[in-house]
Amino acid sequence: MAVSNSSKKLLFSLLCFISIVGFKLKLTASSATCCSNLRAILPPPYSDLSSLTCSLIWQQKFSFRFFQDRENVTTIVLSGKHDHKWIGIGFSRNGRMVGSSAVVAWVERDGVSGLRQYHLEGKNMSRVIPNKGDLRFTTASPVVVVHGDLLYIGFQLQFPTSLAYQPILLAIGSANPLPNGLLPKHINSTTTYIEFSSAHQKTQPMEPNDLRRYHGMTAIIGWGVVTPAGLLVARYFRHMEPSWYYIHSSVQFVGFFVGIISISIGRNLYQRIGAVFLAHKFIGYTVFFLAGLEVCQFVGRPSSDSKRRQCWNFAHYWVGRIAMVMGVMNIFVGFHGVAANDWTLRTGFGISFVTLLIAVIVLEALRRRENALQESIVDQPPVFQVIDKR
C-alpha cells in the first residue's frame, strides 16, 4: 500500500507539472516611439514625415515612417534603440535575405556615424558585399542621428515602379562594420510587410521569430512533455484500474493535437523563410505519422479476450515508444536550426526533460522494488504444513 500511495503522489505531481508547464516569451520593452517630433531631430526632407502615419514594428522595437510620391521616390525614417551595433533595413522581392539589397547604418563610440548599401549574395560575411546593391539613392543625403537612446536613420530611394505590398528585412548586428566594410553577422532578424500604397503598415499574421518560438514551444509541450508523460502513466500506473487507461488515453490525445499545432506552425514557418532543414522536417512528419497510427490503433483496439490482442499490444507498445523517442530527438535537432538562438525554449525543455527523466528513474525503481517484493513472497515456503495422518 505504501508503494501505491507513493505512486499516486508521483502521478499527481506529474499531472500538475504538465498542467502548468509553459514558456513565457520574453517581452521586449518598447524602445521605439511614434511621438518624436522629427522637425527637432532630422533635417529636411526627413523632418517632413512627422505628420505621417507611424507604425511600431518588430515587437515594437522600431518605429517606421515613410512617404512615397507620384514619381516613385520613397522617403523612409527608421528609428530604434541605439546600442553601438549596426541596424539594417533590406528590400527583398520574395521576403528572403539572399538576393536582397540593404541599407545599414551605425554610430561609432566616438560619435562618427556611417551608412552604406550592401548586396546580400549569400549568408556568409564574405558574400555580403559593401557598396553594392539594387537601391538607388536620390540627391538627398542620408542621415544617421542619435537622439537620446534612439538611433534615427533617414534615406530616400528612387524606385522604377511604385512600391505596394513590400517585404522588408530588419536586422541587428553583433558589432559595427569592419574598416574594410565587411559586415559582422547579425544577432537577430525578422521579415515584415509594409503596404506602401497606403499610409499604414500591414504585417503578416505572425512574424518569423514569433513562429519559431510558437513552433518550438508547442513541439516541446506536445512531443517532449505530454506524450512522454502519457507513456509513463501506461507503464507505471496499471495497478490503478481502470483510471490509468483513461488518463493515458486523454494525455496522449492532448499531446497529439498539440503536436499537430506544432507541425502546422512549422509548415507556415518553412514557407515564410524558405528554410531547407530536411532532417528536422523528415523526422517531424515521421513522428506525426506514427502518432496518427497510434490514434488509429486506439480506435481499433480489440477486446482483451480477442486473439488479435497480443499482436495489437506489441504494435501499440513499439510504435508509441519509437514515436516518443523520435519526437524528443527531433526537438534536439530543432535547436540546431529552427530555434537555434532561443535560450528560453532551451531552458524550458531542459527543465521538463530532466524532470521527466527523474520521474522515470524513481518510478522504475519503485516498480522493480515492488516486483522483487512480490517474487520474494511467492518463493517463501508456507508457514504451516498440512500433515496427512491417513
Side-chain angles (χ1 to χ4, degrees):
M1 181 61 68
V3 174
S4 177
N5 289 336
S6 300
S7 300
K8 289 181 180 180
K9 290 180 180 179
L10 284 170
L11 177 60
F12 177 77
S13 300
L14 186 61
L15 293 178
C16 289
F17 169 76
I18 295 171
S19 64
I20 64 174
V21 68
F23 304 97
K24 293 183 180 180
L25 299 176
K26 205 181 238 185
L27 297 177
T28 306
S30 176
S31 60
T33 177
C34 285
C35 300
S36 302
N37 181 12
L38 296 186
R39 298 183 185 276
I41 302 173
L42 301 177
Y46 313 108
S47 58
D48 299 332
L49 301 183
S50 294
S51 60
L52 297 183
T53 301
C54 173
S55 299
L56 293 178
I57 59 177
W58 196 5
Q59 299 177 352
Q60 298 188 340
K61 292 188 294 186
F62 290 88
S63 65
F64 186 89
R65 293 179 175 91
F66 73 91
F67 175 73
Q68 183 175 220
D69 64 18
R70 296 181 180 180
E71 297 179 355
N72 305 325
V73 174
T74 303
T75 306
I76 294 174
V77 173
L78 178 72
S79 65
K81 187 175 181 180
H82 172 53
D83 53 5
H84 300 289
K85 297 170 184 173
W86 63 261
I87 297 176
I89 173 172
F91 293 80
S92 172
R93 295 184 179 88
N94 52 16
R96 300 180 184 178
M97 184 190 79
V98 177
S100 63
S101 298
V103 176
V104 175
W106 68 95
V107 176
E108 303 289 350
R109 294 191 179 274
D110 57 5
V112 178
S113 61
L115 185 143
R116 184 177 291 157
Q117 180 178 183
Y118 286 83
H119 190 250
L120 285 64
E121 298 181 354
K123 296 184 178 181
N124 297 329
M125 181 186 296
S126 59
R127 302 295 304 279
V128 180
I129 312 301
N131 302 318
K132 184 180 179 181
D134 301 327
L135 303 177
R136 288 180 53 197
F137 289 91
T138 65
T139 56
S141 299
V143 295
V144 180
V145 176
V146 176
H147 185 78
D149 62 346
L150 296 180
L151 178 67
Y152 290 82
I153 307 167
F155 57 92
Q156 196 174 75
L157 300 174
Q158 173 72 63
F159 291 95
T161 59
S162 177
L163 295 180
Y165 192 53
Q166 173 67 37
I168 297 293
L169 309 176
L170 294 171
I172 302 174
S174 56
N176 284 337
L178 303 178
N180 59 3
L182 290 181
L183 198 63
K185 185 176 177 60
H186 65 270
I187 57 176
N188 206 352
S189 64
T190 190
T191 302
T192 188
Y193 282 67
I194 302 296
E195 183 60 77
F196 281 89
S197 60
S198 61
H200 66 276
Q201 178 213 17
K202 182 179 180 181
T203 59
Q204 290 182 319
M206 205 177 292
E207 294 182 352
N209 284 344
D210 294 328
L211 287 174
R212 287 187 181 94
R213 292 189 185 94
Y214 289 127
H215 171 63
M217 182 173 62
T218 51
I220 290 171
I221 293 176
W223 305 125
V225 176
V226 178
T227 301
L231 188 143
L232 298 187
V233 173
R235 179 169 175 80
Y236 299 113
F237 298 94
R238 285 180 175 268
H239 58 279
M240 298 173 57
E241 288 283 358
S243 302
W244 76 267
Y245 177 73
Y246 298 109
I247 296 174
H248 168 68
S249 302
S250 301
V251 171
Q252 296 300 75
F253 269 111
V254 171
F256 176 68
F257 284 112
V258 175
I260 291 178
I261 296 174
S262 172
I263 291 176
S264 176
I265 297 174
R267 282 176 54 86
N268 193 356
L269 175 62
Y270 270 64
Q271 295 172 357
R272 186 77 58 82
I273 66 178
V276 181
F277 199 10
L278 296 181
H280 185 64
K281 189 175 182 180
F282 174 78
I283 297 174
Y285 279 123
T286 303
V287 172
F288 171 71
F289 171 78
L290 294 175
L293 187 60
E294 286 287 88
V295 173
C296 295
Q297 288 179 341
F298 169 80
V299 175
R301 181 173 183 251
S303 60
S304 57
D305 57 350
S306 173
K307 295 181 179 180
R308 297 183 291 109
R309 183 58 179 266
Q310 187 174 359
C311 297
W312 183 92
N313 286 339
F314 180 83
H316 178 66
Y317 293 161
W318 285 106
V319 170
R321 284 164 172 76
I322 294 172
M324 186 200 70
V325 172
M326 293 186 67
V328 174
M329 180 181 67
N330 204 31
I331 294 173
F332 284 104
V333 174
F335 283 138
H336 295 282
V338 176
N341 298 320
D342 201 319
W343 289 100
T344 304
L345 292 180
R346 287 173 179 264
T347 303
F349 176 65
I351 294 174
S352 61
F353 182 79
V354 171
T355 302
L356 288 172
L357 189 61
I358 294 174
V360 169
I361 295 173
V362 173
L363 291 172
E364 187 67 24
L366 292 174
R367 185 171 183 265
R368 292 177 181 272
R369 175 184 167 186
E370 184 177 7
N371 291 340
L373 181 62
Q374 292 176 353
E375 291 177 0
S376 64
I377 294 176
V378 172
D379 294 338
Q380 288 179 359
V383 178
F384 301 99
Q385 294 183 352
V386 179
I387 301 177
D388 190 355
K389 295 182 179 181
R390 289 181 301 174

